[in-house]
Amino acid sequence: MVEKDSTARTRELGHRMKAFRQRRHFSGADVSRRNGWLQSKVTRWEQGLRELSVVDAALYLATCGEAEPERDLLLELTQAGNDLYWVRPYFDELVDPMKSLMIQENLAHTIVRYESLMLPGTLQTEPYARTTYELIGNRGQAQLDQIVHARMERQKLLQRDRPPRCRFYVHERALRSVIGGPRIMHEQLLHLVLSANLPYCSIRIVPETNEVSRTIENSFTIMEFTEHPAVVYTDSYAAGVFIDDRVAVEAYYSLVARLESDSLTEEKSRQMLAEWADRYDRMEE
């Protein structure tokens, strides 16, 4: 198998392989020695920098002890398909798009997120997140509890000693859209005000008057890595998609540049967030 640029799929596969191996208390040297592989090959697989065949994946798993619930998922991840547009369906029992996104976010050193209708998931309070999923209405109570818990777990990304630098572009309509009532919105906006003061977190409000934002219907995330090309993530009701196509990624960077030029400054954005928090507080009275 040839060396190649990593993609969202190969990075997730490598991340899960390494975690699988470590849970079974094997070293990379153990796995390579037992299969007659160069240790550098195993390292490159786990870094997402080398394609892994189904046969080699099966040998890797067998070496570490394959009686694991994740075995089928790891084998599924070896199926390349069209890596430049990697689809993660929400209604597939084997696939967890949220977990896939968390893996990429935790590998990234910079995250840029644009939100058109709601507030950024990594900055949502638990009541706000729960209400948004309840309103979508496509999950039972057990699934609802699970996905809300996953969203809260995802936010641990910002509690690390060295969190990624995050830039959030939030459309003004997301501040005006009431999710769950004034009390929930008041707490949520206060949380955004506090988050906007963190040194690694920038929040820019995209005003209603911004003509560019009217043509951008879907939210998206650009994630940048130290050793890998940037990847874009966008989602819909049915699936999340990781985009590794260089031309498409550059097109998203062009969108960010236009949003950057027309968004409010960080200071004015914080003022607007505080004003909306106060407005929702007064609605409760």
Side-chain angles (χ1 to χ4, degrees):
M1 294 293 177
V2 298
E3 300 292 321
K4 55 174 282 181
D5 285 340
S6 73
T7 64
R9 177 187 63 83
T10 60
R11 285 193 296 275
E12 178 171 344
L13 174 59
H15 174 90
R16 289 182 180 273
M17 286 173 60
K18 184 176 180 179
F20 180 95
R21 170 175 62 74
Q22 291 176 335
R23 285 197 304 273
R24 308 297 287 187
H25 305 292
F26 280 87
S27 68
D30 292 331
V31 175
S32 58
R33 183 175 58 254
R34 294 189 181 200
N35 290 285
W37 296 326
L38 294 175
Q39 188 170 345
S40 60
K41 177 186 286 190
V42 174
T43 299
R44 303 292 278 179
W45 279 334
E46 293 181 353
Q47 291 175 337
L49 295 172
R50 187 183 180 96
E51 274 292 357
L52 178 69
S53 70
V54 174
V55 172
D56 284 337
L59 290 171
Y60 183 104
L61 292 169
T63 302
C64 299
E66 65 178 52
E68 283 273 338
E70 260 196 347
R71 179 190 60 190
D72 291 340
L73 174 56
L74 288 172
L75 291 175
E76 182 264 340
L77 286 170
T78 65
Q79 306 303 308
N82 182 0
D83 266 4
L84 298 184
Y85 293 86
W86 189 45
V87 179
R88 309 302 284 153
Y90 282 110
F91 302 104
D92 185 326
E93 292 183 1
L94 189 61
V95 176
D96 183 353
M98 186 69 71
K99 178 64 175 177
S100 296
L101 179 57
M102 288 173 63
I103 288 173
Q104 302 302 318
E105 287 179 331
N106 277 278
L107 292 171
H109 65 67
T110 300
I111 297 174
V112 180
R113 176 73 179 175
Y114 167 67
E115 283 287 355
S116 59
L117 296 174
M118 295 196 308
L119 300 174
T122 47
L123 298 178
Q124 290 179 5
T125 62
E126 193 276 340
Y128 183 97
R130 180 172 294 277
T131 304
T132 59
Y133 285 120
E134 288 174 345
L135 291 172
I136 294 172
N138 62 352
R139 293 175 173 85
Q141 188 60 49
Q143 289 180 312
L144 179 66
D145 292 340
Q146 184 178 30
I147 198 166
V148 172
H149 176 73
R151 173 146 291 183
M152 296 300 102
E153 285 291 303
R154 183 177 159 206
Q155 295 183 7
K156 291 182 178 179
L157 171 79
L158 303 180
Q159 301 168 12
R160 296 186 336 203
D161 290 338
R162 295 183 179 179
R165 298 199 64 82
C166 298
R167 301 205 316 273
F168 299 99
Y169 296 90
V170 182
H171 200 284
E172 185 179 345
R173 71 171 71 98
L175 308 183
R176 298 175 181 273
S177 180
V178 179
I179 303 292
R183 181 179 295 277
I184 287 178
M185 292 301 296
H186 170 63
E187 293 176 355
Q188 175 64 76
L189 268 294
L190 280 181
H191 182 63
L192 290 182
V193 172
L194 295 174
S195 298
N197 285 287
L198 297 172
Y200 52 82
C201 184
S202 168
I203 301 178
R204 302 280 299 277
I205 303 301
V206 183
E208 292 279 6
T209 55
N210 185 311
E211 295 182 354
V212 175
S213 66
R214 296 174 191 168
T215 66
I216 308 174
E217 297 180 357
N218 290 340
S219 301
F220 62 87
T221 303
I222 301 176
M223 289 166 282
E224 299 175 345
F225 310 90
T226 302
E227 299 179 350
H228 310 290
V231 65
V232 171
Y233 177 82
T234 185
D235 57 8
S236 65
Y237 180 77
V241 181
F242 290 94
I243 303 172
D244 282 284
D245 186 305
R246 294 301 97 204
V247 175
V249 171
E250 287 304 318
Y252 277 97
Y253 273 114
S254 296
L255 286 179
V256 170
R258 297 174 71 184
L259 289 170
E260 175 82 17
S261 64
D262 292 335
S263 297
L264 300 181
T265 64
E266 290 187 32
E267 181 179 355
K268 289 183 178 180
S269 296
R270 283 194 293 268
Q271 291 174 356
M272 178 175 280
L273 292 172
E275 288 170 2
W276 274 99
D278 181 63
R279 192 172 303 179
Y280 284 119
D281 187 35
R282 284 186 276 111
M283 287 183 189
E284 295 182 56
E285 298 175 355

